[in-house]
Amino acid sequence: MSGTKSNVQRFEAGDVIFREGDPSTTAYVVASGEVTLVKETERGLVQLATLGKGELLGEMGAVDTDPRSATAVARTPVSLHAFSRKAFVRKLEEDPEMALRLVVRLSRRLRNANDRIAQLEQIADVPAEPRAGEAASGGSTALVPAGEGGAPVAGAGRGDSLLGRLMGALRGSTGPRTSEGALAGVARGRQPVLAVAGFPGPGGNDQRARVLEAVEGLSGIRVRKLDKAVPYSPELDPYTALSGAVGAGRPMLREVGADLLVWGGPDAAGRLVELRFLTPWGSKEIERVGMMSPQNALFVPLDFDPAWHVLVQAVTLAAMEPRTEAQGKTLVETLPSLAEAAGALLTELPYGLTGLETAQIVACYGNVLAVVGVWANEPAWLEHAAAAFEEGIRHLPRDADAEWGVLHRSLGLVWQALVERGHPSVGPRQAVDAFKAALESFHRDLYPYEWAGLKHRLGLLSYRIHMAEGDPAALRESINAFQAALQVFNTAETPERWGEAMHDLAQVLQVYGGQERKPEVLSRAVDAANAALQVRTLDAAPLLWAATQNNLGSALFLMFRLAKDAGALYQAREAFHQSANTYELHGAKRQADIVSRNLRRVENLIDRQGSRSTPEPDWVRPGQGAEDAGGGGWTEPTEDPEALPMDGGLR
């Protein structure tokens, strides 16, 4: 950074560098680390870009002096070279390469805007009719091939796990595959709200007072006492009783705008206090590591003393999903010490606990360890969480059907997290076994979304097994698992999860079709990718849209390879081109590099034809051979397209 001087500013992960609407007085160049840009929209906060070393940040405001158009958050520890407006303009004069980068960025933005305006003009006279169950919309401006819809994602902005969004921004993960890793609520300052329902029965008020005393010790959380108790009928079968309690408790939670509802009361024997935890998000949401299920229960002694506060606080805090940057920081700063103190408390559990009670306590503590492990990105915490879940399973009576499913799913999620982090002693087959055990309890007729979510994860892990071991049976299992998930996920009720599963199915089908040299399978992959683009639109989810475009391009390229389908080759080039441009525009360099290599393979192949083939004809369509298109033969490609890694959907 010779010449014009700059100040070096440093930020920790999660720090806000500037907010949308702030005055624009400074431009930055990223010296190290990564910065996430997010913007407030009608659908909530949406991630715009992730910027890395050498990239410009806040340059437009420094040039035109308009207020900041987005919020910038440090995704990792970040060092920035900060320039005043005058210094930045002088730097552009001194550094032609930086000036060129600025011009390229402006050009891309202008081209993108022109494309969108052109599409809006085409549809302006005939607005699209809303689909059943969808609100009326002005239509999507996503650049998709003819015949593909641009329906907005129903429920966008609420359907994503909020913890997953915050983790994506703070941890540098690819984030939920059903969202763009947006930092939920970064511009909002509301404290998280914890609601504690009434405790029914003799002594219920006294036991609730002890719980309130414990949770009121959590800083930064507002506690609300509710007069009403959550109805629960232990004389009913467990599924019916708990379903009724959840159905009654969730409206109570939403009515007071709470982030978590604690409910329960003294058990019938007068030995223990049973605590359960309910979030606003139902079973349609993506599972997250360390998630607290309605089937989880924390048991503490009746009239428990303050020594038990650390366990109640740790489990409560881990069960809450942060809604703001400040809440996320509180979790990172507070939960690890609480987890350590709670672990010391649990070295000696109360005498006389049943196997189910012991399993539930240990599982709740496992959730705490898992949340710390994900947030701190420390595999050791995740290893301890897996050990806790395994210990809970050992104590669990086999007739505890729902708890059996929950604990095995929790164990599978932790093992999958370790696999995704490249842990040397944990393999995908361990997670597969755990998820299959969970399916013994999560029957499709009673738990359709939990069942479908487990099937989806089995598809991801089976694909990973195939890629690591070359096991063709695992690839077929992956296809079957994704198809099973799509029997439940649909565009009306779970559009994001449907789009995610359809995208993953497209990727596996194109790998399978290419390896088995089956054009009909590749055609299914093209259809699946095009279907996924109906909900993974450029406007709503640009990075997900770009990933599916790469899948589409790969399938089309392989169709050409097997059938010498000229139309497929040209469409592959267009899909790769759009994907690469979108990744570059949003600062996703690693993905952009992969797709750009795919694009170069296609362009080199087309260029090598020279005079043996005609220029790209508008009338060539998939299924039409090269000789029919006027070509004189095609050179066999020597390399398969590169696939983007599946991120596993971990939250």
Side-chain angles (χ1 to χ4, degrees):
M1 303 299 296
S2 58
T4 302
K5 292 184 178 180
S6 64
N7 296 319
V8 177
Q9 298 182 7
R10 293 178 173 83
F11 299 86
E12 294 300 320
D15 287 350
V16 175
I17 299 166
F18 54 76
R19 296 182 183 275
E20 185 175 348
D22 286 351
S24 299
T25 59
T26 307
Y28 304 89
V29 176
V30 180
S32 65
E34 293 185 333
V35 176
T36 295
L37 292 178
V38 293
K39 185 174 180 64
E40 188 76 44
T41 71
E42 293 181 356
R43 295 186 291 266
L45 257 79
V46 177
Q47 179 176 314
L48 301 178
T50 299
L51 308 179
K53 183 177 179 180
E55 296 190 271
L56 301 173
L57 172 66
E59 75 284 359
M60 295 310 302
V63 171
D64 61 19
T65 70
D66 285 342
R68 299 292 190 192
S69 60
T71 296
V73 183
R75 191 176 187 181
T76 65
V78 169
S79 294
L80 303 174
H81 293 288
F83 296 86
S84 67
R85 181 175 184 274
K86 182 181 293 186
F88 182 67
V89 173
R90 187 162 58 249
K91 179 63 179 174
L92 292 176
E93 295 173 348
E94 297 172 353
D95 189 346
E97 184 178 346
M98 180 183 287
L100 179 60
R101 290 205 305 271
L102 180 61
V103 170
V104 169
R105 179 176 294 191
L106 289 172
S107 174
R108 286 174 179 160
R109 290 178 179 173
L110 180 60
R111 182 171 61 240
N112 191 42
N114 287 340
D115 288 338
R116 295 183 181 187
I117 290 170
Q119 278 207 327
L120 286 173
E121 290 174 347
Q122 292 171 4
I123 66 173
D125 293 335
V126 186
E129 290 293 328
R131 298 180 180 180
E134 293 179 350
S137 170
S140 168
T141 58
L143 300 179
V144 295
E148 293 180 8
V153 178
R158 194 193 69 81
D160 305 277
S161 164
L162 295 171
L163 179 63
R165 298 187 212 168
L166 192 57
M167 283 169 52
L170 301 185
R171 296 275 159 243
S173 67
T174 55
R177 293 143 47 104
T178 57
S179 73
E180 293 303 305
L183 181 58
V186 72
R188 306 181 183 96
R190 180 177 76 78
Q191 280 187 317
V193 177
L194 170 64
V196 181
F199 284 13
N205 288 337
D206 291 340
Q207 301 310 313
R208 188 175 80 145
R210 293 176 184 272
V211 172
L212 287 167
E213 182 183 357
V215 297
E216 284 170 351
L218 290 170
S219 62
I221 293 177
R222 186 156 57 95
V223 179
R224 295 197 60 173
K225 295 182 288 185
L226 305 183
D227 295 330
K228 187 177 179 181
V230 174
Y232 182 76
S233 303
E235 64 273 10
L236 298 176
D237 68 273
Y239 172 80
T240 303
L242 194 56
S243 296
V246 170
R250 193 155 279 138
M252 293 169 55
L253 185 151
R254 290 172 177 157
E255 184 178 350
V256 297
D259 303 276
L260 184 70
L261 176 67
V262 177
W263 63 281
D267 68 356
R271 300 180 304 115
L272 301 169
V273 179
E274 178 181 339
L275 302 178
R276 294 186 184 264
F277 305 84
L278 186 62
T279 70
W281 315 114
S283 58
K284 296 180 183 179
E285 315 301 331
I286 283 186
E287 312 85 6
R288 65 174 175 87
V289 181
M291 66 184 292
M292 185 69 72
S293 298
Q295 291 88 352
N296 286 124
L298 175 64
F299 293 95
V300 295
L302 197 74
D303 299 324
F304 62 92
D305 61 44
W308 286 84
H309 285 188
V310 289
L311 180 61
V312 174
Q313 290 174 352
V315 173
T316 300
L317 190 58
M320 300 187 77
E321 295 194 353
R323 300 178 67 88
T324 68
E325 174 196 3
Q327 294 170 27
K329 283 189 172 182
T330 298
L331 182 69
V332 173
E333 295 167 358
T334 306
L335 194 53
S337 60
L338 285 176
E340 292 178 358
L345 175 71
L346 294 183
T347 55
E348 293 187 13
L349 289 173
Y351 177 76
L353 291 174
T354 66
L356 176 59
E357 292 161 353
T358 300
Q360 287 279 40
I361 295 171
V362 174
C364 285
Y365 183 59
N367 287 336
V368 174
L369 297 173
V371 170
V372 174
V374 169
W375 272 84
N377 199 23
E378 290 289 344
W381 286 91
L382 292 172
E383 291 171 7
H384 292 314
F389 291 131
E390 289 180 303
E391 180 68 16
I393 290 169
R394 280 193 288 271
H395 287 277
L396 196 65
R398 187 57 191 92
D399 61 353
D401 192 58
E403 292 81 2
W404 174 270
V406 168
L407 266 65
H408 277 93
R409 181 178 64 181
S410 298
L411 177 61
L413 288 170
V414 169
W415 272 338
Q416 186 181 4
L418 288 169
V419 169
E420 298 289 343
R421 287 161 174 77
H423 195 281
S425 62
V426 178
R429 292 189 184 274
Q430 289 172 268
V432 165
D433 289 342
F435 289 141
K436 286 182 176 179
L439 282 169
E440 296 174 16
S441 298
F442 283 120
H443 308 292
R444 178 181 171 181
D445 55 342
L446 294 180
Y447 304 98
Y449 298 109
E450 290 88 344
W451 180 87
L454 289 167
K455 287 290 187 180
H456 190 177
R457 289 186 180 277
L458 286 173
L460 295 169
L461 290 162
S462 296
Y463 175 75
R464 180 178 283 273
I465 289 170
H466 168 76
M467 299 304 289
E469 303 175 8
D471 183 356
L475 197 59
R476 290 190 292 271
E477 288 179 9
S478 177
I479 293 171
N480 291 335
F482 288 133
Q483 290 175 330
L486 287 165
Q487 294 173 17
V488 173
F489 297 142
N490 57 71
T491 55
E493 296 180 317
T494 53
E496 292 180 336
R497 301 206 70 173
W498 180 87
E500 177 186 359
M502 193 64 76
H503 163 88
D504 291 338
L505 176 62
Q507 183 164 329
V508 178
L509 284 172
Q510 62 98 356
V511 172
Y512 181 68
Q515 291 181 355
E516 298 295 321
R517 303 186 66 81
K518 294 183 176 180
E520 67 276 12
V521 176
L522 293 173
S523 179
R524 288 173 57 198
V526 170
D527 291 342
N530 280 326
L533 289 170
Q534 302 299 310
V535 296
R536 296 162 72 102
T537 63
L538 178 60
D539 283 344
L543 297 183
L544 300 183
W545 180 85
T548 302
Q549 287 286 356
N550 185 65
N551 268 358
L552 177 62
S554 298
L556 289 164
F557 179 78
L558 291 171
M559 283 182 64
F560 160 76
R561 184 171 184 173
L562 293 183
K564 302 301 182 288
D565 184 341
L569 186 64
Y570 286 116
Q571 287 195 13
R573 180 177 66 178
E574 178 64 15
F576 288 140
H577 173 72
Q578 299 222 48
S579 177
N581 279 357
T582 302
Y583 277 133
E584 290 175 2
L585 183 65
H586 289 81
K589 186 177 185 303
R590 180 175 63 89
Q591 294 92 331
D593 289 344
I594 291 173
V595 182
S596 294
R597 288 195 293 270
N598 289 340
L599 177 60
R600 284 195 295 272
R601 289 187 181 99
V602 173
E603 290 180 333
N604 290 339
L605 183 59
I606 292 175
D607 290 343
R608 284 202 302 269
Q609 310 317 309
S611 60
R612 293 181 297 166
S613 61
T614 62
E616 177 182 352
D618 293 336
W619 41 266
V620 173
R621 294 291 180 265
Q624 181 175 14
E627 57 279 359
D628 297 329
W634 294 87
T635 301
E636 175 73 13
T638 58
E639 293 181 277
D640 286 342
E642 295 180 59
L644 296 166
M646 292 184 179
D647 68 20
L650 290 176
R651 298 294 179 92

